[in-house]
Amino acid sequence: MRTLTLLGATGSIGDSTLDVVARHPERFSVGALAAHRNHGKLLALCRRFRPPLAALADVDAARILSHALAAESIPTRVVGGPEGLVEAATLPGVDTVLAAIVGAVGLPATLAAAHAGKRILLANKEALVIGGALFMDAIAASGATLVPIDSEHNAVFQCLPPTYARKPEASGVRRILLTASGGPFHPRPDVDFATVTPAQACAHPNWSMGRKISVDSATMMNKGLEVIEARWLFGLAPLQIDVVVHRQSIVHSLVEYVDGSVLAQLSNPDMRTPIAQALGAPERVDCGVTPLDLAQIATLTFERPDTERFPCIRLAYEALAADAAAPIALNAANEVAVDAFLNDGARFSDIPRVCEEVLARRTRGAIASLDDAIAVDDDARAIARDVLNIGSPPRTPDPRSSMRATR
Ligand code: NAD
Ligand code: MG
């Protein structure tokens, strides 16, 4: 029996994960469910999965949940605030932590799970993009394990030998190819990025996902973040990571070996496949995904990404080649710009512009601690707001607000 903490239980990955978990009650049990502030949805999940612990980052929402559970005599204990997320991530008796909070705000809890030696199934790519060496060192020091849930990285993971230890040469790996759907706009050169609406940007052709990652897919920053994610997961040099646009989202990524062999993982675009692989490994579990019908799909296409129209991919490679602070700044700038696009009327075309300017103006330097990372993140967010000409969010007494507060 594997006992799971699910960080980001109310989101899209949360839904897919609990769907897989519910199919195998003899294999998986839920130790803790954590989310931001959707107490109504978390209450419904507590009724269904009966976790010992529930955590909401928003303390008011946590209080409401606590009262509602007590009224129904459901014995789930509720914790609130950022500390509650950390408690859920490090809960004794939990062996597996599925990290599916969106954004940098997920880093402290995911890092705590790494320090606690948990088996971490990682969807929250931003945590690894900004955690970088800090995160991987914590994994190595505690003996934690890290299994990627992001479909591309899970595909690479499946195509690497089981003994792979972040040393490509030792396993004869020449490079990996991350596939990208291209989002809604790569095949549409006619689209004017200055007038794209949030609804258009979130209308992904193949995947149903949260709004932030949907916008990232439309700018292709998602692929940029995934290049950085792959660098840390697999110990690759940036030149060993290529991106290829594959519009059907059937081939989820590929590994090329020195003998010319290229291994790929294929499946229908449904996140339950990588989640089930990671949850069940080394065994395989059924997860309700429609079997692949290659004859019906008939055609798989591959093309180079257009990095002129989608400069976010280039920016990610540039950040990776710079100092350790650069990916943190890039991620923070992107989070602010995407949020402004979704909620404050910023233009879609502002997103790469803000990212480029923040990379040019940001703080540089080494990252020796979580506090260093948070300081760079805070600084980059301030520059991004300045570029966008928007005010700061309300200050909370916690100086780590940008990574922890209610956005
Ligand atoms: P989503 O917006 O649907 O859900 C986000 C989850 O994070 C929610 O449960 C929300 O409550 C929680 N959250 C947000 N802010 C929080 C805070 N301050 N404190 C605590 N919890 C907070 O997003 P999603 O699509 O499920 O994506 C989650 C992560 O998985 C992202 O990092 C994304 O890049 C990654 N991912 C998603 C997919 C996908 O298909 N959805 C695929 C690959 C990777
Ligand atoms: Mg992905």
Side-chain angles (χ1 to χ4, degrees):
M1 175 72 82
R2 281 190 165 144
T3 305
L4 180 75
T5 281
L6 177 50
L7 304 172
T10 56
S12 164
I13 292 287
D15 288 344
S16 296
T17 302
L18 290 172
D19 183 276
V20 178
V21 165
R23 287 167 193 271
H24 302 280
E26 72 299 347
R27 281 176 188 270
F28 309 123
S29 71
V30 179
L33 295 173
H36 187 192
R37 59 184 160 203
N38 188 345
H39 52 83
K41 183 159 181 181
L42 209 55
L43 173 64
L45 295 178
C46 288
R47 280 189 195 121
R48 186 164 170 216
F49 292 96
R50 301 282 164 153
L53 188 74
L56 283 171
D58 184 299
V59 286
D60 294 330
R63 210 169 296 123
I64 297 170
L65 176 64
S66 179
H67 289 142
L69 287 165
E72 296 185 28
S73 303
I74 296 172
T76 297
R77 184 165 64 87
V78 180
V79 286
E83 308 75 23
L85 299 181
V86 170
E87 185 173 344
T90 56
L91 196 66
V94 158
D95 47 78
T96 303
V97 175
L98 197 143
I101 290 173
V102 60
V105 73
L107 177 62
T110 310
L111 192 57
H115 285 301
K118 303 293 189 189
R119 189 164 177 273
I120 300 171
L121 315 186
L122 186 79
N124 179 199
K125 66 192 83 187
E126 299 92 345
L128 188 52
V129 166
I130 62 181
L134 210 61
F135 192 79
M136 298 312 294
D137 289 350
I139 299 263
S142 71
T145 43
L146 184 56
V147 183
I149 294 283
D150 211 348
S151 56
E152 297 76 3
H153 306 75
N154 184 267
V156 169
F157 184 77
Q158 293 197 51
C159 295
L160 288 169
T163 53
Y164 187 76
R166 300 182 69 232
K167 292 198 169 50
E169 289 73 23
S171 297
V173 171
R174 184 182 284 148
R175 63 173 182 148
I176 65 168
L177 288 108
L178 298 179
T179 53
S181 69
F185 305 136
H186 196 273
R188 302 262 323 265
D190 55 307
V191 171
D192 176 4
F193 288 167
T195 60
V196 160
T197 64
Q200 289 169 325
C202 289
H204 197 282
N206 306 334
W207 297 95
S208 160
M209 310 182 285
R211 278 160 68 79
K212 192 266 181 181
I213 185 177
S214 296
V215 176
D216 285 349
S217 298
T219 60
M220 296 195 75
M221 179 60 91
N222 184 49
K223 212 49 52 183
L225 297 177
E226 290 184 356
V227 167
I228 301 173
E229 184 186 9
R231 181 262 174 275
W232 292 112
L233 282 170
F234 306 118
L236 298 161
L239 278 176
Q240 293 175 301
I241 307 168
D242 271 349
V243 172
V244 62
V245 172
H246 164 55
R247 284 170 55 186
Q248 298 78 22
S249 297
I250 296 295
V251 177
H252 296 296
S253 277
L254 312 93
V255 176
E256 182 182 306
Y257 288 88
V258 289
D259 62 4
S261 297
V262 178
L263 302 193
Q265 184 264 345
L266 286 72
S267 61
N268 276 317
D270 186 323
M271 286 306 292
R272 290 177 298 177
T273 292
I275 289 167
Q277 189 282 328
L279 275 175
E283 290 166 27
R284 296 277 177 174
V285 296
D286 183 13
C287 59
V289 172
T290 311
L292 198 56
D293 183 343
L294 282 176
Q296 200 208 343
I297 294 162
T299 308
L300 299 176
T301 60
F302 300 93
E303 58 195 296
R304 284 185 217 294
D306 181 346
T307 51
E308 294 282 314
R309 279 180 76 227
F310 298 91
C312 291
I313 301 177
R314 168 179 59 79
L315 294 177
Y317 276 102
E318 286 173 12
L320 205 43
D323 55 314
I328 302 173
L330 177 67
N331 179 71
N334 183 57
E335 287 191 20
V336 171
V338 170
D339 189 54
F341 168 64
L342 284 173
N343 302 310
D344 292 326
R347 285 176 301 188
F348 185 74
S349 51
D350 286 331
I351 299 171
R353 182 176 70 80
V354 170
C355 291
E356 182 130 38
E357 198 159 334
V358 169
L359 275 183
R361 284 170 53 185
R362 74 202 163 80
T363 317
R364 275 146 229 274
I367 303 294
S369 67
L370 179 59
D371 284 341
D372 289 350
I374 291 170
V376 171
D377 177 273
D378 278 345
D379 177 59
R381 281 171 202 269
I383 301 170
R385 285 189 208 101
D386 182 48
V387 176
L388 283 164
N389 217 359
I390 52 178
S392 300
R395 272 272 149 206
T396 70
D398 184 349
R400 300 179 177 192
S401 56
S402 66
M403 245 182 227
R404 296 184 160 189
T406 52
R407 270 174 298 115

